[in-house]
Amino acid sequence: MVLAGVISVNDAFAYTISDDSTGGDCSTIGTWDSATKTCTLNTDISEGITIGSSYVTLNGNSHTITGTNPQNNDSWDTRQNEVFGVFANIRTNIVIKNIQIKNFYDGIYLPGIANSKIQDNTLTKNTVQIELDGSKYNTISNNIIQCDVGGGIISQFGDGNKILENTITNCQGAGIVGNREKNFNVSNNFLDMQGSVLLKSSIGIHIDQSGTYTDHIATIVGNTVKNAHTGIDYYGQDGFIKNNIISNNSKVGLYVNGGGNFVTDNNISNNGLGISISNSNTVYHNNLISNDKTALGGTYMVDLISADSGGNYWSDYSPECNDSNFDNYCDDVYPLKDVANISDGKIWKVQNGWLTKIIIPENITQKATDSSGTTVNYSVSATHDGNPILVQCNPASGSTFPIGETAVLCTASNGIFVKFNVIVKSADIIPPTDTDGDDISDSSDSCPSQSETVNNYQDTDGCPDVVPPTDTDGDGISDSSDSCPSQSETVNNY
């Protein structure tokens, strides 16, 4: 159903739940608790239910509402109990839960509702399982949807709606549709289109904020989308597409048409085409693995804007690329073999490498203990996605590092590495003490407090001295007074 906004209709369902003493028709199909305004079914029924008042809870109590497989919704306002399993029009703060609904055109159709919850229901074989139209601030969560025909959840022309943690399978149309939705949140849903991959209309998540609705931001986070024709397609700008698992979609895994979007931390694998994207989007920390074709840009060059922490991992290029400077990025921009118009300038060499953290010391400086250098001890550790992993360094802690600068390369068990430097400086030489300043160290100076007299006589003993007179013949008479300096005096008292 595609309507341009909120509608006003007569609440002429076979069963209408309203806030009065009996809960309207609740007493005919269940029990009414006026204190909590809750109608709890106690039987299966074969006609639709309308919720005629705000602040009402419809608890299906695991009972089934079964329709008659209407083939269209023409003149639906006169066929409400045939076309819709559960209907509420311009209501607020309602809850629809624990109901099994099948074989209607819309399993649940809710135009103009606000602040309401649709949760824990099972819907199958309706043309559309759940539809919001012009509704605001509602949460659709934890429903099990097996389409078999048609589509899953549609929300259009609304604001602040959340589609959370639903399981949606085998839709021939789209599993989740957001059409001109403002502040739309699609998170943690599981979508498996199963046997519908051959249908070109089969889409996991389709969000269209194009045209005059480009400022209507969407958040698409933590979803698993597989086995569709197209996994996720997003027409809009400034959206967030993060932490999704997108796999085995026959045409394309992720299609983004618009600028200013953040596409991060997605695993995109085994699709026909991994990613097709327009320009001016920030695309980083995605794993693109074993897609038939990895990526496709538009008719002009698409530069995938990386974060400071790097770009993406591409399984057909990253493992074999060169990383000569050990920064964990490929040296060259990815050429995207056989695919034109996309450039990624910071390609990770290791899958999910951005989740690895290696804690290393700052550069270490120590003094040598001898001419061979010194022993250096250090501590390193590593985690991946918060869990400890092994890390080895070369040279290892406890090694003898030579004098000079040595690079230490530490490699985690998944191949991520990081470097730091060890700098060993020459040991300082303490000069010997020379108290008297005669250039003879105190340890060798016989007179450490008296300077040596340098006179070519016992000049190494460190003491002051006088050169004794010369006595060539050794007769005790100096040569200067000896008439016969080369002949000894005869001592005879003459």
Side-chain angles (χ1 to χ4, degrees):
M1 180 177 299
V2 178
L3 301 176
V6 177
I7 53 178
S8 178
V9 298
N10 178 21
D11 294 335
F13 268 169
Y15 302 108
T16 299
I17 310 302
S18 56
D19 182 13
D20 59 26
S21 59
T22 62
D25 294 323
C26 178
S27 59
T28 65
I29 54 177
T31 59
W32 173 251
D33 184 336
S34 58
T36 62
K37 301 181 181 180
T38 298
C39 178
T40 303
L41 298 185
N42 59 16
T43 185
D44 297 339
I45 59 176
S46 57
E47 293 182 275
I49 296 174
T50 186
I51 298 175
S53 301
S54 297
Y55 298 93
V56 164
T57 295
L58 174 59
N59 183 353
N61 196 26
S62 299
H63 285 288
T64 300
I65 305 175
T66 304
T68 58
N69 289 311
Q71 299 303 302
N72 59 66
N73 60 354
D74 297 342
S75 303
W76 62 267
D77 52 334
T78 62
R79 304 165 53 214
Q80 296 169 42
N81 61 332
E82 175 191 356
V83 174
F84 307 133
V86 176
F87 173 81
N89 178 39
I90 317 177
R91 304 290 178 232
T92 185
N93 293 91
I94 63 174
V95 177
I96 302 168
K97 64 180 183 179
N98 300 326
I99 310 174
Q100 299 183 50
I101 304 172
K102 61 182 180 180
N103 298 339
F104 288 90
Y105 193 88
D106 277 63
I108 299 173
Y109 179 54
L110 305 171
I113 68 164
N115 300 310
S116 298
K117 297 179 180 179
I118 303 93
Q119 62 191 46
D120 303 310
N121 302 288
T122 300
L123 299 102
T124 185
K125 297 183 179 180
N126 305 287
T127 303
V128 177
Q129 312 309 312
I130 300 173
E131 184 170 1
L132 303 181
D133 193 350
S135 298
K136 298 182 178 181
Y137 311 115
N138 304 289
T139 301
I140 301 175
S141 63
N142 292 300
N143 300 282
I144 297 174
I145 293 173
Q146 182 175 341
C147 296
D148 290 340
V149 295
I153 298 172
I154 298 175
S155 188
Q156 58 185 357
F157 305 107
D159 186 1
N161 294 307
K162 299 178 180 179
I163 315 298
L164 310 176
E165 299 181 357
N166 301 280
T167 298
I168 303 173
T169 58
N170 201 31
C171 297
Q172 295 182 9
I176 296 173
V177 173
N179 186 24
R180 275 66 168 177
E181 283 280 310
K182 193 173 183 178
N183 302 310
F184 194 41
N185 186 337
V186 179
S187 297
N188 301 318
N189 300 280
F190 177 85
L191 299 99
D192 185 352
M193 298 300 98
Q194 296 176 332
S196 299
V197 295
L198 298 179
L199 296 172
K200 293 184 178 180
S201 59
S202 172
I203 303 172
I205 298 173
H206 170 75
I207 297 176
D208 188 352
Q209 312 286 52
S210 60
T212 59
Y213 298 88
T214 53
D215 61 339
H216 289 192
I217 297 171
T219 300
I220 309 169
V221 175
N223 303 283
T224 296
V225 184
K226 61 182 183 178
N227 294 322
H229 189 60
T230 299
I232 296 175
D233 65 357
Y234 179 66
Y235 295 79
Q237 61 188 31
D238 301 324
F240 295 88
I241 304 170
K242 183 175 182 179
N243 286 328
N244 300 285
I245 299 172
I246 307 168
S247 65
N248 298 98
N249 300 287
S250 60
K251 180 182 180 183
V252 60
L254 175 62
Y255 178 85
V256 178
N257 189 343
N261 299 293
F262 287 82
V263 180
T264 70
D265 296 285
N266 301 286
N267 286 314
I268 304 171
S269 64
N270 298 294
N271 302 284
L273 179 66
I275 184 171
S276 179
I277 195 163
S278 58
N279 208 7
S280 301
N281 293 289
T282 300
V283 182
Y284 64 97
H285 291 183
N286 301 285
N287 293 305
L288 291 106
I289 303 170
S290 301
N291 300 287
D292 290 344
K293 290 186 178 180
T294 306
L296 183 65
T299 57
Y300 45 86
M301 174 64 73
V302 174
D303 184 13
L304 301 185
I305 303 171
S306 302
D308 290 340
S309 55
N312 306 279
Y313 172 84
W314 308 78
S315 68
D316 62 339
Y317 178 68
S318 296
E320 304 302 325
C321 76
N322 294 320
D323 178 15
S324 59
N325 60 352
F326 300 102
D327 64 355
N328 297 302
Y329 304 137
C330 297
D331 292 341
D332 299 321
V333 173
Y334 179 36
L336 292 174
K337 299 173 183 177
D338 302 323
V339 179
N341 299 332
I342 283 187
S343 174
D344 186 352
K346 277 191 173 181
I347 301 166
W348 279 88
K349 189 169 174 60
V350 174
Q351 182 178 340
N352 284 320
W354 49 88
L355 298 178
T356 299
K357 308 297 180 186
I358 303 178
I359 308 301
I360 58 173
E362 296 289 338
N363 289 341
I364 298 172
T365 300
Q366 289 188 197
K367 291 182 178 179
T369 54
D370 55 37
S371 60
S372 67
T374 190
T375 299
V376 177
N377 294 297
Y378 57 82
S379 177
V380 299
S381 62
T383 60
H384 183 78
D385 200 16
N387 299 309
I389 59 174
L390 294 176
V391 58
Q392 294 182 326
C393 299
N394 185 29
S397 177
S399 300
T400 297
F401 285 76
I403 294 171
E405 185 172 319
T406 301
V408 178
L409 181 65
C410 297
T411 306
S413 56
N414 64 349
I416 291 294
F417 32 65
V418 67
K419 294 191 299 182
F420 66 95
N421 294 320
V422 172
I423 302 166
V424 178
K425 294 184 175 181
S426 298
D428 294 334
I429 299 175
I430 301 174
T433 303
D434 180 14
T435 303
D436 56 16
D438 60 4
D439 294 329
I440 299 173
S441 65
D442 289 356
S443 60
S444 302
D445 197 333
S446 299
C447 304
S449 61
Q450 295 176 294
S451 296
E452 168 69 34
T453 301
V454 180
N455 54 10
N456 295 319
Y457 177 73
Q458 297 182 350
D459 288 345
T460 61
D461 64 359
C463 294
D465 48 36
V466 177
V467 178
T470 302
D471 180 13
T472 302
D473 54 15
D475 57 6
I477 301 170
S478 66
D479 287 358
S480 61
S481 300
D482 194 336
S483 299
C484 302
S486 61
Q487 295 175 300
S488 298
E489 171 66 33
T490 302
V491 181
N492 57 8
N493 295 319
Y494 175 75

